[in-house]
Amino acid sequence: LYELAIAEFRRVGTETARVRDIANAAGVVPGTFYFHFPTKDHVVFEMWLRNGRRFVERLVELVTEGDAADVARFLRVVDDAIIDVEEEVRDPALVRDTLGLVLRPPSGAPLDENPIGDVITRFFERAAARGALGASELDAEELAGVLLTAVLGALAAASDDPRERRASLRRTIDFFLRALAPAA
C-alpha cells in the first residue's frame, strides 16, 4: 500500500489522489488502507521517517567516528544526503508535501523522535567541545533546529528545477558554514 500510494501521489498529487484508487491498485478494500494509514498524510509522513532513517545512517558515522572539527565536511554530507533523498523521491511537489508535514505532523504521528535533529545536535556538541564552532548564543540543539528549519525552508521555497533546488540548498549550507566558522 505504501509504495502504491507514493506512486499515485507522484502521478496525480497527494491532494488529488484517492484512497479508493490506491486500494483498488493493491487489490484490497479502502478500509485496509485506513487500517495501515489513517490518512494520506500519514503515508507522506511515513516517507519522511523512512528517508530520515537513511539520512541518519549517512551522518552517524561522521558523528561517532569522524572528526568533529570538520564542520564543513559534515555540512556537505548533510547537503549531499538531502539531494539524494530529493532525487529518490523524484517529485518536488511531494517533497513540499513532506516538508509541510514535518512542520505540522498529522494527528497521531510519532513526534517524540527526531533522529535527524538528534544526530546533527550530537555533531554540533562534539564540534563545540573541540572548539570547531564559532561563538554562538545557541546551544547545539538550537543550532540543529535552526539549520534544519533553514534547509527545509530553502527546499520549500525553491523552484522545481533540480539545479536551482541544489543551488538554493548549497547557498543555505554555505551560509551556515560562514556563520559557524570560528573567529580567525
Side-chain angles (χ1 to χ4, degrees):
L1 281 173
Y2 170 81
E3 295 296 333
L4 291 169
I6 296 299
E8 184 70 2
F9 297 164
R10 283 187 185 117
R11 191 175 75 76
V12 300
T14 307
E15 192 69 33
T16 308
R18 297 182 324 173
V19 170
R20 178 176 359 120
D21 295 337
I22 297 165
N24 286 342
V28 299
V29 297
T32 302
F33 176 92
Y34 291 116
F35 176 78
H36 295 284
F37 301 103
T39 68
K40 294 182 291 183
D41 284 347
H42 286 81
V43 175
V44 176
F45 196 77
E46 175 66 21
M47 186 180 71
W48 162 259
L49 293 175
R50 289 181 186 195
N51 286 327
R53 287 182 205 111
R54 285 194 301 279
F55 184 94
V56 167
E57 287 170 7
R58 291 184 66 176
L59 299 179
V60 77
E61 181 180 321
L62 288 174
V63 172
T64 57
E65 300 172 11
D67 180 4
D70 196 348
V71 175
R73 179 173 173 236
F74 180 79
L75 290 179
R76 292 291 176 228
V77 172
V78 168
D79 183 28
D80 291 342
I82 291 168
I83 293 300
D84 289 349
V85 167
E86 280 230 323
E87 289 174 353
E88 183 178 315
V89 172
R90 299 183 319 265
D91 184 347
L94 189 53
V95 169
R96 278 191 290 281
D97 289 346
T98 304
L99 298 175
L101 290 172
V102 170
L103 298 173
R104 189 177 187 160
S107 175
L111 302 177
D112 56 342
E113 295 181 35
N114 182 4
I116 296 171
D118 292 345
V119 74
I120 293 172
T121 297
R122 286 198 325 261
F123 179 84
F124 283 155
E125 287 169 345
R126 291 189 68 219
R130 289 188 172 188
L133 295 179
S136 174
E137 295 177 12
L138 303 176
D139 66 25
E141 186 173 7
E142 291 167 325
L143 279 174
V146 170
L147 172 67
L148 283 173
T149 301
V151 165
L152 297 178
L155 292 174
S159 79
D160 287 353
D161 179 87
R163 289 182 309 255
E164 290 179 29
R165 294 179 73 72
R166 192 171 277 129
S168 177
L169 181 60
R170 183 63 46 117
R171 285 190 302 274
T172 302
I173 294 294
D174 287 346
F175 170 82
F176 272 89
L177 282 172
R178 289 188 305 276
L180 295 175

